[in-house]
Amino acid sequence: MSKTIFYLGGGAMAGVFSGGVITRLQEINFYDKIEAIYAGSSGAMNAAYFLSKQTKLGSTIYLDDLTHNFILPKNIPLGIAKLIWNKYIKKLPKDDTRYAVNIDYVFDCINKKPFSTDEIVKQPIDFFAKLLNIQTGKIEYLDAKKFGILKVLKATSCIQPYYPFFEEINGNKYVDGTIPEPIGLQYLLDLYPNHKIVVIVNSFMKRKFSNYLRCFAEGVVSHFCDYSLLKMYLRRETSLRNDLQLATETPRVLFICPPENMSVIAMTRNRKNLVEAFDTGKKMADKIIKFVEFKTEFVSKIS
């Protein structure tokens, strides 16, 4: 059996759950079981701290730093008004923009609690970040070691409309690739036809109609950004549901997500709830250990 492929999904503060999962995997030195990590949004940050063997340091960013100055819901009404003004009336400087999540603050925290870039580069595990090229409208997986880890992480953090900016890499403009496609499981199944795949997401498997409504609302607001992602958001929930179904039907895929009673979502700032999610993630890692070590051969991709 080949080594395992990991996918770490995003979810802002909910990413503390997958942070707990990978912390447990670091504790048991699980690295030699992994061939590649694909990640988007907060999952990419978690992957960076995991590959640098500093997961506990990374988790303190969720638990101690991002509980304040990161989620800014009071900015939403004025932020939307400024987006409309910026698009239809007059361009505003970045400092005059109001956004619901302060990504610049996140990177201030990372700079104060830096991961070891050298350690990541030395790791034999491949590290790909999921990005959306807003010029072509296509999802791309960039080699974080090749294109600069911090720069790629910044691109995965540009989640419009909450943070209405992009990151330029090699002449291309990128934002978070989980916007239209939270997982993208079929891509990994096709790319690695004889591998086990572990998918770790930070949202519940049971979906509700309200999830469609939220995607619609986010898409409408994104229409006022420089690059409208309305069509992307409209297909987001359907894409996620299709991947959840595909995961349950595919024996070589293990899907890890929080239990439904866990009270952590993308905008959570309650430290007690975040600690609970982190600890839950650590416990869920045992499923990965059993799944990877179980001796079963899978040949060719699913039909």
Side-chain angles (χ1 to χ4, degrees), residues 13 16 59-73 105-106 109 267-275:
M13 293 299 286
V16 72
S59 68
T60 65
I61 294 178
Y62 289 106
L63 302 176
D64 299 332
D65 301 300
L66 301 188
T67 52
H68 56 275
N69 297 333
F70 171 49
I71 304 294
L72 307 170
Y105 174 69
V106 176
C109 296
M267 307 292 272
T268 299
R269 290 175 287 176
N270 184 296
R271 191 180 191 279
K272 180 181 178 181
N273 292 343
L274 292 169
V275 170

Side-chain angles (χ1 to χ4, degrees), residues 19-38:
V21 175
I22 60 172
T23 295
R24 173 61 178 150
L25 296 181
Q26 182 191 323
E27 288 174 350
I28 62 172
N29 197 28
F30 206 68
Y31 295 91
D32 63 350
K33 304 288 195 306
I34 304 172
E35 181 171 322
I37 295 178
Y38 290 74

Side-chain angles (χ1 to χ4, degrees), residues 56-102:
K56 290 185 177 179
L57 179 64
S59 68
T60 65
I61 294 178
Y62 289 106
L63 302 176
D64 299 332
D65 301 300
L66 301 188
T67 52
H68 56 275
N69 297 333
F70 171 49
I71 304 294
L72 307 170
K74 65 181 181 180
N75 282 352
I76 292 176
L78 183 57
I80 294 174
K82 284 183 175 286
L83 285 176
I84 296 172
W85 180 279
N86 187 68
K87 184 165 185 175
Y88 296 109
I89 300 176
K90 182 181 179 181
K91 279 286 185 182
L92 297 171
K94 182 177 179 180
D95 291 344
D96 196 26
T97 306
R98 296 291 183 271
Y99 31 82
V101 293
N102 189 348

Side-chain angles (χ1 to χ4, degrees), residues 5-282:
I5 307 303
F6 273 61
Y7 178 80
L8 304 182
M13 293 299 286
V16 72
F17 169 77
S18 60
V21 175
I22 60 172
T23 295
R24 173 61 178 150
L25 296 181
Q26 182 191 323
E27 288 174 350
I28 62 172
N29 197 28
F30 206 68
Y31 295 91
D32 63 350
K33 304 288 195 306
I34 304 172
E35 181 171 322
I37 295 178
Y38 290 74
S41 192
S42 60
M45 185 182 83
N46 289 343
Y49 280 97
F50 173 70
L51 292 173
S52 65
K53 299 184 177 181
Q54 296 169 282
T55 53
K56 290 185 177 179
L57 179 64
S59 68
T60 65
I61 294 178
Y62 289 106
L63 302 176
D64 299 332
D65 301 300
L66 301 188
T67 52
H68 56 275
N69 297 333
F70 171 49
I71 304 294
L72 307 170
K74 65 181 181 180
N75 282 352
I76 292 176
L78 183 57
I80 294 174
K82 284 183 175 286
L83 285 176
I84 296 172
W85 180 279
N86 187 68
K87 184 165 185 175
Y88 296 109
I89 300 176
K90 182 181 179 181
K91 279 286 185 182
L92 297 171
K94 182 177 179 180
D95 291 344
D96 196 26
T97 306
R98 296 291 183 271
Y99 31 82
V101 293
N102 189 348
I103 298 301
D104 296 323
Y105 174 69
V106 176
F107 281 83
D108 286 342
C109 296
I110 292 175
N111 288 332
K112 293 175 182 177
K113 298 179 177 181
F115 48 76
S116 172
T117 301
D118 291 340
E119 186 68 30
I120 296 174
V121 172
K122 287 192 301 182
Q123 277 280 2
I125 300 172
D126 294 328
F127 178 19
F128 297 97
K130 184 171 192 166
L131 300 174
L132 174 64
N133 186 323
I134 55 178
Q135 294 160 290
T136 65
K138 295 181 178 180
I139 291 172
E140 299 178 17
Y141 292 91
L142 293 194
D143 185 336
K145 298 181 184 181
K146 177 180 178 181
F147 289 97
I149 296 165
L150 276 173
K151 197 165 186 64
V152 168
L153 288 186
K154 186 65 178 289
T156 68
S157 303
C158 292
I159 179 164
Q160 296 187 19
Y162 299 98
Y163 184 80
F165 306 106
F166 60 82
E167 186 71 13
E168 187 167 327
I169 301 175
N170 238 22
N172 295 306
K173 298 174 181 178
Y174 293 102
V175 297
D176 174 24
T178 68
I179 291 173
E181 187 185 80
I183 302 175
L185 180 55
Q186 190 62 62
Y187 173 82
L188 297 176
L189 289 170
D190 292 341
L191 191 61
Y192 299 96
N194 301 313
H195 290 63
K196 290 182 178 181
I197 298 173
V198 174
V199 177
I200 307 170
V201 299
N202 303 297
S203 56
F204 312 128
M205 179 178 283
K206 187 175 181 180
R207 310 302 294 172
K208 301 177 181 178
F209 182 72
S210 59
N211 296 118
Y212 282 109
L213 295 179
R214 175 180 173 178
C215 288
F216 175 74
E218 291 170 326
V220 169
V221 176
S222 80
H223 185 69
F224 302 123
C225 299
D226 289 338
Y227 295 86
S228 174
L229 300 178
L230 175 58
K231 292 182 179 179
M232 303 288 185
Y233 269 110
L234 291 179
R235 73 184 195 219
R236 174 185 173 89
E237 182 64 22
T238 299
S239 171
L240 177 56
R241 291 180 185 224
N242 289 341
D243 276 342
L244 296 180
Q245 183 64 33
L246 182 58
T248 61
E249 296 172 350
T250 310
R252 63 188 179 96
V253 174
L254 175 66
F255 185 84
I256 298 289
C257 70
E260 290 183 34
N261 62 352
M262 198 182 82
S263 54
V264 169
I265 58 175
M267 307 292 272
T268 299
R269 290 175 287 176
N270 184 296
R271 191 180 191 279
K272 180 181 178 181
N273 292 343
L274 292 169
V275 170
E276 179 186 0
F278 178 79
D279 291 339
T280 301
K282 290 189 69 175

